[in-house]
Amino acid sequence: YIYIGGQSAVLEIPFEGEHELENAIHCLAVMLLLGINQETIRQRMASLTLVGTRLEVIEGVNGCLLVHDNYTSDFNSLAPALDFMKRRITPDCKAMVIVSDLMHDADTDLEDLYRRMAELLAIAGVSRVIGIGPELMAHKGCFGPESEFFASTEEFLHKKSTSDFRGELILIKGAPEFGFGRICELLEARQHETVLEINLDAVVSNFNAFRSRIKPTTAIACMIKASGYGAGSHELARTLQAQGASYLAVAVHDEGADLRRAGITMPILVLNPTVENFHALFADRLEPEIYSFDFLRALIREAGRYGITDYPVHIKIDSGMHRLGFLKEDLPELIELLRSQDRVVPRSIFSHLCAADDPMEDDYTQQQFDYFDECCRMLLSAFPERKILRHILNSTGITRFPDHQLDMVRLGIGLYGVKTMHDGSQDDLRPVSSLNTVIISLKNWPEGTTIGYNRRGTLKRQSVIATIPVGYADGINRHLGYGNTSVMVNGIKCPTVGSICMDACMIDVTDVADVKVGDRVEIFGENIPVDDLAEVLGTIPYEVLTSVSQRVKRVYYRE
Ligand SMILES: *Cc1c(COP(=O)(O)O)cnc(C)c1O
């Protein structure tokens, strides 16, 4: 750097990210202004550390949900964290916070500070406060009678156990020196160390990337079927609801009912509504796809039984996929049936492309568009008084055929950051899910040693072999064994060795410098695209994502 044309020097800082660089430049500018000498600046800059800035949502013990803010703990950061938490409150879970003393300037009026904090918590609907730190202890009078206070994190850990927390939404927010990570460890429902991490900011960024490809007036339905393509539907639904999606779509009735239980109020479309309990469907206002006369008649009959009118439904057209839906020649009868009653009303008409990603099939895709267009005209002209939404594009369709966006699009895999086109047209997508685990054991073996079941892995050199607690019961297909894929450890790709076991597998970490037990292992994510695994398995990323088994804990975070 050169400081105001005069003094110049070279500095090293221990990171290279753009934001970190900018922060470091601010630090440098302040130190120069304060006249601190170059040697001190050099030493201090070298000892800077990265600051975590993540809000994590973690499944907790006894049905609790933890929101962990491990970034900072000043008054100004409290409101956004509470806001993030508030969006997760449901009728049957109470909100509580575990907070540390706030960071503040030396001349702050503490009584005033903690009174304002108590007010903010009350407005956010927090019924129980656990305060940790000497200042909070001294100002407990500001808080309600249900609150409890501890002088230190140690005292809290000593006096409280997991059974003190049940079915609560818990915001855990502490200044770094309080080490609230230990409270999270206590309250986390951790079974084993393999987690699927879901970056909610990447979801938002991908949503916006597709948003920018379509007109502002075109609605977006987000596909969160199959438990959000494996990422878990509740958190995604909340994020997308807040982001302004118009519809959510799930595969089956139960998925929709779950979302209602989790407090999701926006319209939900159910794609495969083989319904046993129509009453529950109506009660939760889940809007079914209609793909057959049988189902439509049953729905009309049941709506009559419960005295329901004007129930929104979505008419599926089979324009060429040949899976489900009405054909053009069915429409006159369908229209007559719909017009003959007032129990259900068409809310939308839609169809699905079967080869949107294949340029060789663009003629066929065009036929689908034309066929669908004719069907839309027939239905819409039969209901001139109604606004019926038309939609046909999926993620790849949005990228390749934006001219056919109509009134709504259905965004699926793209939301999860998986590219379906590899021509650069989707390079703005960010991976959302990463499957991570940790090394639980390390051993040195000589050349020729065999590893695992049936001695299927033979070492060709003296090797360091690590065991990781993830196996086919977690969704790691056995065909990924035998070195067919690699996982990432400390920036180095490490091949699998031998067969994948039920709950574990072995990897070759010989080339990783300083490898240790506890080191993080990425199976897919930022560095290893899901596509790589899909290719080894001869399948598509959709299947890899939805194969991560339910026993793998999902952790959600914001950057
Ligand atoms: C799954 C699905 C989508 C989303 O498809 P993507 O390729 O994941 O974008 C859209 N429409 C229907 C009917 C679907 O079943």
Side-chain angles (χ1 to χ4, degrees):
Y1 65 88
I2 302 174
Y3 181 53
I4 316 189
Q7 179 187 0
S8 76
V10 175
L11 271 185
E12 270 189 39
I13 54 170
F15 30 69
E16 51 196 20
E18 206 178 310
H19 293 87
E20 288 76 29
L21 271 176
E22 190 177 329
N23 287 340
I25 291 169
H26 288 306
C27 297
L28 173 64
V30 170
M31 286 193 283
L32 289 170
L33 186 72
L34 295 175
I36 294 170
N37 73 49
Q38 284 197 13
E39 180 52 24
T40 309
I41 293 179
R42 203 188 52 73
Q43 285 173 7
R44 300 242 173 113
M45 295 301 269
S47 64
L48 287 175
T49 55
L50 283 177
V51 188
T53 60
R54 293 177 17 165
L55 267 170
E56 290 183 314
V57 182
I58 308 163
E59 280 169 40
V61 292
N62 307 325
C64 291
L65 191 67
L66 315 179
V67 176
H68 184 203
D69 179 353
N70 57 6
Y71 177 38
T72 169
S73 182
D74 56 11
F75 184 77
N76 290 331
S77 69
L78 193 57
L82 284 169
D83 186 54
F84 184 78
M85 175 180 82
K86 233 165 44 189
R87 280 192 256 128
R88 284 155 182 82
I89 297 182
T90 60
D92 42 41
C93 95
K94 288 206 289 183
M96 67 166 294
V97 297
I98 303 178
V99 280
S100 74
D101 284 354
L102 295 175
M103 301 191 302
H104 54 77
D105 297 334
D107 58 359
T108 303
D109 174 349
L110 292 186
E111 184 68 20
D112 176 60
L113 178 69
Y114 287 105
R115 182 164 304 124
R116 281 191 293 141
M117 177 181 185
E119 267 170 31
L120 204 58
L121 294 175
I123 291 168
V126 172
S127 48
R128 180 178 173 205
V129 178
I130 292 183
I132 296 178
E135 290 184 2
L136 275 163
M137 283 284 261
H139 295 89
K140 43 170 106 166
C142 300
F143 298 86
E146 262 194 88
S147 307
E148 289 175 276
F149 295 87
F150 302 91
S152 65
T153 306
E154 284 67 36
E155 192 197 338
F156 169 88
L157 291 171
H158 185 64
K159 294 196 174 155
K160 287 283 175 190
S161 77
T162 52
S163 60
D164 294 315
F165 302 89
R166 191 163 296 275
E168 285 165 298
L169 177 63
I170 310 175
L171 173 65
I172 301 173
K173 183 164 171 60
E177 62 269 27
F178 282 88
F180 273 14
R182 287 173 294 161
I183 298 182
C184 280
E185 275 165 33
L186 172 74
L187 297 179
E188 229 176 281
R190 184 192 302 255
Q191 260 94 43
H192 65 124
E193 300 285 349
T194 301
V195 295
L196 188 68
E197 294 192 19
I198 291 117
N199 182 344
L200 295 175
D201 282 331
V203 174
V204 169
S205 158
N206 295 335
F207 179 88
N208 290 337
F210 281 95
R211 171 95 269 169
S212 73
R213 288 171 166 84
I214 57 177
K215 290 180 299 212
T217 47
T218 304
I220 301 183
C222 291
M223 313 307 283
I224 55 172
K225 58 194 184 191
S227 191
Y229 289 48
S233 57
H234 298 181
E235 282 301 321
L236 286 168
R238 287 198 182 97
T239 305
L240 295 165
Q241 179 166 281
Q243 202 57 30
S246 298
Y247 262 93
L248 296 175
V250 296
V252 295
H253 171 206
D254 286 352
E255 289 182 309
D258 264 4
L259 290 176
R260 289 288 183 247
R261 297 295 86 76
I264 301 299
T265 51
M266 63 190 287
I268 298 178
L269 194 162
V270 184
L271 296 168
N272 299 329
T274 47
V275 174
E276 277 105 59
N277 187 345
F278 283 92
H279 185 243
L281 185 86
F282 297 137
D284 281 335
R285 288 208 69 79
L286 301 174
E287 304 178 14
E289 164 181 330
I290 304 290
Y291 53 82
S292 75
F293 284 110
D294 285 347
F295 182 71
L296 179 56
R297 290 201 184 94
L299 190 73
I300 292 171
R301 187 185 63 235
E302 294 293 319
R305 210 152 84 84
Y306 295 108
I308 284 165
T309 55
D310 287 339
Y311 200 77
V313 300
H314 301 264
I315 307 295
K316 176 70 162 290
I317 300 296
D318 181 359
S319 62
M321 175 88 152
H322 303 149
R323 180 172 62 179
L324 290 172
F326 293 100
L327 299 172
K328 200 174 6 180
E329 49 268 36
D330 298 324
L331 289 189
E333 185 185 344
L334 178 69
I335 288 168
E336 199 181 298
L337 177 55
L338 286 170
R339 290 195 59 92
S340 70
Q341 53 81 51
D342 63 353
R343 299 293 170 194
V344 308
V345 292
R347 178 75 184 108
S348 87
I349 174 168
F350 73 109
S351 190
H352 196 34
L353 299 174
C354 64
D357 57 343
D358 185 356
M360 303 285 285
E361 296 292 356
D362 281 355
D363 286 346
Y364 191 83
T365 303
Q366 188 55 49
Q367 282 173 35
Q368 285 195 272
F369 287 136
D370 295 342
Y371 188 97
F372 181 59
D373 188 48
E374 285 180 53
C375 294
C376 288
R377 277 171 218 246
M378 290 168 74
L379 187 78
L380 266 57
S381 63
F383 293 90
E385 73 287 2
R386 287 201 182 280
K387 174 75 193 145
I388 300 177
L389 302 172
R390 300 157 302 157
H391 45 112
I392 189 166
L393 297 183
N394 64 347
S395 308
T396 319
I398 301 169
T399 307
R400 297 198 58 228
F401 307 103
D403 290 348
H404 295 270
Q405 58 189 274
L406 304 174
D407 305 306
M408 186 153 85
V409 294
R410 297 188 308 275
L411 178 55
I413 193 90
L415 201 51
Y416 305 92
V418 175
K419 294 177 200 165
T420 48
M421 298 304 297
H422 298 276
D423 54 3
S425 62
Q426 293 182 332
D427 284 357
D428 51 351
L429 301 185
R430 298 177 53 195
V432 164
S433 300
S434 54
L435 182 61
N436 296 305
T437 186
V438 291
I439 293 176
I440 56 170
S441 170
L442 275 175
K443 296 243 170 58
N444 270 293
W445 298 110
E447 182 185 334
T449 309
T450 64
I451 304 292
Y453 279 118
N454 301 95
R455 311 186 63 198
R456 290 284 302 272
T458 303
L459 301 182
K460 298 197 177 61
R461 57 173 178 174
Q462 154 110 24
S463 307
V464 187
I465 300 299
T467 302
I468 55 179
V470 60
Y472 57 80
D474 298 292
I476 302 300
N477 191 297
R478 287 183 78 250
H479 295 108
L480 296 171
Y482 321 116
N484 288 342
T485 189
S486 292
V487 299
M488 188 74 108
V489 183
N490 300 342
I492 306 287
K493 284 191 168 185
C494 303
T496 56
V497 186
S499 309
I500 308 275
C501 313
M502 185 185 286
D503 306 304
C505 64
M506 277 67 87
I507 55 175
D508 182 344
V509 293
T510 314
D511 299 329
V512 183
D514 299 326
V515 64
K516 298 179 299 300
V517 167
D519 280 356
R520 183 180 147 109
V521 180
E522 176 186 310
I523 297 167
F524 63 74
E526 289 279 341
N527 303 294
I528 314 250
V530 183
D531 312 52
D532 286 9
L533 275 63
E535 196 170 314
V536 171
L537 297 171
T539 183
I540 49 177
Y542 300 68
E543 186 179 353
V544 176
L545 287 176
T546 53
S547 297
V548 177
S549 75
Q550 280 308 316
R551 84 171 187 193
V552 175
K553 190 167 62 170
R554 270 69 173 166
V555 173
Y556 303 89
Y557 67 94
R558 300 209 82 134
E559 286 161 341

